[in-house]
Amino acid sequence: MTYLLRVNLDIKGTKPQDSPRFADALESIKDTAKPGRRVVVLAHRGRPKGKDTKLSLKVFAKPLEKGLKRKVTFIPHFDFEKITKLVKESPLGSIFLLENVRFLPGETKGDLALAKKLASLGDRYINDDFPTSHHFEVSNVTLAKLLPSSLGINFKMELKQLDKIMRSPQRPFVLVIGGAKIDDKLGTIENLFPKVDSILLGGGPANTLLKARGVKIGKSLYDASALKDIGSLSQKQKLVTPIDWRVKKDAILDIGPETEKLYGDIVSEAKTIVWNGPMGKVEDKDFAGGTKALWRAILANKKANIVVGGGDTVSAIALPKRLPKNVFVSTGGGAMLTYLAGGKLPALEAIN
Ligand code: ADP
Ligand code: MG
């Protein structure tokens, strides 16, 4: 029996092994690679347009071997005839890692021909990539319709934790939204609006709203296409925007000290906190301070149920060795927000 296993290896940086996403992928492969099974691991990295060596998955082969204490064969090409032969003729127990599926032009378009080629490699499909589940792609949606399919251990765990927090969220319920992928996020702000007491904004979403409110934001990152949609939201009191910021070359790159204090006070009063998206350009240490200050304030709140998610958010904050019981770290950003907002996850629908 050959299992196609979709995991999340969408990890930036030079030490991908340190990411919670890598740890999850490792657990998932361990769980799938039971005796008598072959496993073909499918994953993506970044948003490449065609082949892009910087986004190769090759870097994960050795760390996976180390973590699994088993051989992992990296497949660097998409010659499906060769891949089929390689997999079918391999001994039971073999583990393969296929190159970044987003190098394939049909992947993000849900291309059926591509899905059939991938499906022919295996007998069963497991999706354990929660963070991509809000996107409609071949390796996380179309494939699930062609093979007997199920959810992986991490995906199930995410749903269980997020269900728990949404069942009866204690108030005040504070939502914090920052980061860059604004298109993924503004829709959920709208859907979560009735459930939450305040929404603290940072990063691109804050800039977009500041602009909508008439503030001059210069060259700051914002989403022009979202501007008109948030016109009506921009009047609402629940939405809290920064009151000061750190700037470089005419761009707002982090929240300022007064905002750190304001946001810190609001989260310390909260009983439920959901956070996705850094408050600033965290890769640059001069603009990581707002995000770190917010995390300190959130962690200090022992009375709240806390969910923090998003690839960049989680890698920007220091996770304590043992997370307090009231904190759940989700590997998903856009997916987490979509699910919390009651939206449908195409990848989950495809399995159900
Ligand atoms: P997550 O991965 O946690 O869901 P996103 O991918 O949406 O978060 O956004 C993370 C990115 O947002 C980071 O690369 C960070 O540099 C960027 N970012 C946040 N605030 C700003 C800002 N004010 N200006 C430019 N980039 C920002
Ligand atoms: Mg990100």
Side-chain angles (χ1 to χ4, degrees):
M1 191 79 94
T2 300
Y3 280 72
L4 301 182
L5 173 65
R6 178 65 158 107
V7 299
N8 192 287
L9 291 173
D10 188 16
I11 305 166
K12 289 180 194 162
T14 49
K15 278 198 174 166
Q17 309 85 287
D18 293 347
S19 160
R21 288 183 170 181
F22 184 82
D24 279 4
L26 202 58
E27 284 313 304
S28 194
I29 299 169
K30 271 187 199 159
D31 186 66
T32 307
K34 299 202 167 102
R37 297 176 177 179
R38 299 181 187 93
V39 181
V40 179
V41 178
L42 307 174
H44 80 276
R45 203 176 181 203
R47 294 180 169 188
K49 293 182 184 69
K51 195 172 170 172
D52 177 350
T53 45
K54 290 190 298 299
L55 295 173
S56 173
L57 295 187
K58 189 165 188 241
V59 290
F60 295 110
K62 281 275 165 286
L64 284 176
E65 276 191 344
K66 206 168 154 223
L68 293 165
K69 301 192 186 72
R70 288 171 65 173
K71 185 172 164 49
V72 174
T73 306
F74 178 67
I75 306 175
H77 60 81
F78 297 105
D79 181 335
F80 280 94
E81 238 170 78
K82 274 196 192 146
I83 302 172
T84 309
K85 198 163 158 0
L86 176 71
V87 173
K88 299 251 146 96
E89 289 175 3
S90 68
L92 291 175
S94 301
I95 301 174
F96 299 92
L97 172 64
L98 190 62
E99 180 57 292
N100 190 339
V101 285
R102 283 197 185 161
F103 289 178
L104 290 158
E107 164 67 6
T108 53
K109 298 186 189 85
D111 182 66
L112 190 61
L114 173 61
K116 285 181 176 158
K117 282 185 196 158
L118 282 170
S120 73
L121 298 178
D123 310 292
R124 277 170 203 269
Y125 169 76
I126 296 177
N127 188 358
D128 208 15
D129 179 357
F130 175 73
T132 312
S133 62
H134 59 314
H135 292 302
F136 191 114
E137 301 186 358
V138 163
S139 66
N140 75 333
V141 176
T142 328
L143 201 49
K145 297 176 181 165
L146 300 180
L147 290 173
S149 305
S150 55
L151 293 179
I153 46 172
N154 297 299
F155 203 132
K156 283 188 202 154
M157 169 72 157
E158 292 273 0
L159 297 181
K160 195 173 135 201
Q161 292 285 347
L162 298 178
D163 284 342
K164 198 169 88 187
I165 204 150
M166 290 312 279
R167 209 168 297 137
S168 54
Q170 301 279 305
R171 305 184 86 143
F173 184 163
V174 177
L175 178 64
V176 187
I177 305 271
K181 292 183 196 159
I182 311 169
D183 51 341
D184 266 6
K185 293 172 184 180
L186 282 169
T188 50
I189 292 181
E190 203 151 6
N191 287 333
L192 281 170
F193 225 93
K195 297 199 178 113
V196 302
D197 297 289
S198 33
I199 304 181
L200 312 181
L201 296 178
N207 296 341
T208 307
L209 200 84
L210 285 171
K211 192 172 169 72
R213 286 179 171 170
V215 176
K216 296 234 174 345
I217 63 161
K219 295 198 176 69
S220 305
L221 173 79
Y222 80 103
D223 185 350
S225 67
L227 259 187
K228 57 175 187 326
D229 299 332
I230 62 167
S232 58
L233 281 183
S234 67
Q235 307 301 322
K236 307 240 168 88
Q237 304 258 318
K238 277 185 191 177
L239 276 174
V240 186
T241 47
I243 48 175
D244 63 340
W245 33 82
R246 296 181 170 100
V247 179
K248 190 161 118 184
K249 290 187 186 148
D250 203 26
I252 300 174
L253 296 179
D254 196 8
I255 58 173
E258 291 301 314
T259 310
E260 284 175 11
K261 193 169 174 313
L262 173 71
Y263 286 12
D265 287 345
I266 297 173
V267 296
S268 67
E269 299 289 311
K271 291 277 172 54
T272 304
I273 303 168
V274 173
W275 177 22
N276 166 248
M279 293 294 99
K281 195 166 187 272
V282 277
E283 295 82 359
D284 181 338
K285 69 175 186 342
D286 293 342
F287 302 102
T291 302
K292 293 200 155 74
L294 179 67
W295 177 231
R296 276 195 299 277
I298 289 178
L299 259 191
N301 185 337
K302 306 288 180 205
K303 302 181 306 286
N305 273 319
I306 298 165
V307 177
V308 183
D312 292 293
T313 308
V314 171
S315 63
I317 59 180
L319 292 177
K321 276 230 163 55
R322 276 232 233 110
L323 267 184
K325 273 206 177 63
N326 60 322
V327 182
F328 174 64
V329 174
S330 171
T331 52
M336 173 187 85
L337 287 178
T338 305
Y339 190 70
L340 289 174
K344 289 206 185 321
L345 300 173
L348 178 60
E349 301 293 307
I351 301 267
N352 293 343

